[in-house]
Each structure stands twice: as structure tokens, then as C-alpha cells.
Amino acid sequence: QGLSNGVGWASHTYNEVYVGNRWVKLNYNSLGQNILDPFYFGMMIQVNTMKDWAETGLTDTWGQRIVDAANNQLNPQMSSMNQYMSLEIKDQFGMHADIENPDVRTHEKLTLETAYYPDDERLPQTIRDMNISGSAGFNFLVRTKEHYSESGDEQYREFLNETAFRVTLSAPGQQDIAAEIQKQTFYTYLNGQEHWALFLLWIPNADFAAMPAGVDYSLSVNPSSFKYTWRVGGDFKVTKRD
């Protein structure tokens, strides 16, 4: 999960403090910062150690190469502006590590239960305050049933990377509507035992305009061979307001 959360290059610096007769990483107020962290930067590789930035000379080398690359003046050329590339990763615990290593649970199926307008009063106020809108289309917020209480947003990432996103909305006597479940954007809300996982159901503007108000549309997932699939609850419906 930490690896799936890391994208590209992000420069960061943290302190090392001497605690318990050894040097320990201190990242803000996180003592004993792990190299691999699903909640912070993904994977952090220690590439330099210094008492002071002035010792490194990075502004004359590393920094200048970034500036040159941005101005298309870099010679020799780099494959990207990233300074490092991970070639090999091993799953190991340090000799002083004392943390749990539970199995990572991910979802293979998610059940679509209810579709909401973004301003629906049944939604948590935090979600409504986001004023969610769609680009070149209309977004419904679709709530799913499944949730692992011990995990955060990362529990959905593998599913979203692998599942189908095209769906069809159907209603008796109406033309079918091609829609999409947006895979890159989702919203979660947790308040005590109340959990909400909401995904965007996007309908193109022209199709949404053609949908008659008050008509209940059912949803079917377009056939695919994906291991990770959406399921549709028996009471699920998409209805355009008057």
C-alpha cells in the first residue's frame, strides 16, 4: 500500500535524533518514521545525511540540473527530472523494529448501495460542504457497502486500479445511458461507527439533460474479465430530480 501511494519524486528532509542509544528518524512529531509508509509519501529513500544543508553542495549540482532540465538546457539529458530510480525493493524489518505486520486486506467486490445528489441532506455535512461538481457532465455520489475498519482510504486503491469503470443506466421505455464510475476520485468520511465511502458516477451533460426527471434508472456494469468487480444492491437506483 505504501508503494501504491507513491508517485514520482518528492524531496523531503527529516531529522535524526539520538534516543535509546541509537539514531532514530524523527519526521515532524513521528518518532521512528518508517521508510515505507502508506500514509506519508509512500516510500522515502534516504539518499543523503548531513549536519547542515550547506555541507552538501546540492545547489551547485542537483539543484542546477533541475533548473537546466526545466529550461530544456540539460546536457547530458536525463530520462526525467527525478534524481533517483528504485531498482530493487526488499521487504525487511530493521533489527530494532517492533511493529505489527498484519495482512493487508483489499476489496475484490464493492456493492453500490445508494446514489445521491452532491447536496443531498442525507449526506454528511462535511461531504456536502465540498460542493462537488462535474466537468462536462453531472456527478452523482454513489455509496458503497464494504469497509474494513482497520484500514483507511488505501483499502480501495487496488480495487480502483483494476476494476471496470464504464456502466450503463437503464429504465423501461428510455434510451440507455452510458456513464462512468470515476476511479481516481473518491471520498471517505468516518465518524465513530458511521462510515461513508463515496464514488463519483459521471453522466455526460447531453445524456443527463435527456434523462426524464423522476424516472428510476437501474445500473449494470459493462461485462469485463476483471477480478475486481462492482456489485449492484437490490434497491440501487439513479433518479434525476424535478
Side-chain angles (χ1 to χ4, degrees):
Q1 290 176 347
L3 288 174
S4 66
N5 194 31
V7 179
W9 167 266
S11 181
H12 185 55
T13 306
Y14 47 73
N15 295 316
E16 289 184 308
V17 295
Y18 199 70
V19 179
N21 298 317
R22 60 190 177 92
W23 290 100
V24 181
K25 296 179 179 66
L26 177 62
N27 187 33
Y28 298 105
N29 62 350
S30 176
L31 183 63
Q33 171 69 53
N34 287 323
I35 287 295
L36 193 60
D37 189 331
F39 307 107
Y40 192 85
F41 270 10
M43 181 173 64
M44 293 188 288
I45 301 300
Q46 185 172 338
V47 298
N48 215 321
T49 303
M50 78 288 288
K51 293 181 180 179
D52 189 279
W53 272 104
E55 298 178 354
T56 65
L58 288 177
T59 53
D60 297 328
T61 55
W62 181 355
Q64 188 59 51
R65 287 181 68 84
I66 294 177
V67 172
D68 291 344
N71 293 323
N72 295 317
Q73 297 177 350
L74 184 61
N75 187 23
Q77 292 290 322
M78 294 191 298
S79 60
S80 75
M81 290 178 63
N82 295 342
Q83 290 75 31
Y84 299 92
M85 178 183 295
S86 300
L87 299 179
E88 183 179 6
I89 299 170
K90 294 182 179 180
D91 185 6
Q92 297 178 332
F93 281 80
M95 61 183 297
H96 299 288
D98 184 19
I99 60 174
E100 295 182 0
N101 187 27
D103 291 336
V104 175
R105 294 203 293 170
T106 58
H107 300 279
E108 291 187 3
K109 300 183 186 299
L110 288 178
T111 304
L112 304 176
E113 287 193 309
T114 311
Y116 303 90
Y117 269 72
D119 61 353
D120 194 304
E121 294 184 354
R122 294 173 294 174
L123 292 170
Q125 187 65 49
T126 301
I127 300 295
R128 282 184 279 155
D129 288 344
M130 293 180 180
N131 296 318
I132 297 167
S133 60
S135 174
F138 184 84
N139 279 328
F140 282 95
L141 286 171
V142 181
R143 186 178 185 180
T144 60
K145 175 182 178 181
E146 291 78 8
H147 170 67
Y148 298 134
S149 59
E150 75 275 12
S151 301
D153 293 356
E154 70 279 357
Q155 65 185 279
Y156 301 109
R157 290 198 182 101
E158 184 174 342
F159 178 91
L160 293 175
N161 286 336
E162 300 295 337
T163 191
F165 63 94
R166 292 186 174 89
V167 298
T168 300
L169 301 178
S170 303
Q174 305 296 330
Q175 183 176 349
D176 286 351
I177 301 294
E180 297 179 1
I181 297 178
Q182 301 289 291
K183 298 171 63 173
Q184 302 303 320
T185 305
F186 64 97
Y187 305 89
T188 58
Y189 173 79
L190 182 62
N191 183 13
Q193 297 300 314
E194 182 186 24
H195 177 267
W196 292 73
L198 296 158
F199 299 86
L200 296 180
L201 175 63
W202 180 81
I203 303 173
N205 277 331
D207 291 320
F208 184 72
M211 291 174 63
V215 173
D216 295 338
Y217 281 78
S218 61
L219 182 147
S220 59
V221 181
N222 294 352
S224 71
S225 58
F226 291 106
K227 171 183 176 182
Y228 301 86
T229 59
W230 300 99
R231 294 186 295 195
V232 182
D235 296 330
F236 183 86
K237 59 184 179 181
V238 177
T239 309
K240 183 177 178 181
R241 293 193 303 213
D242 292 333

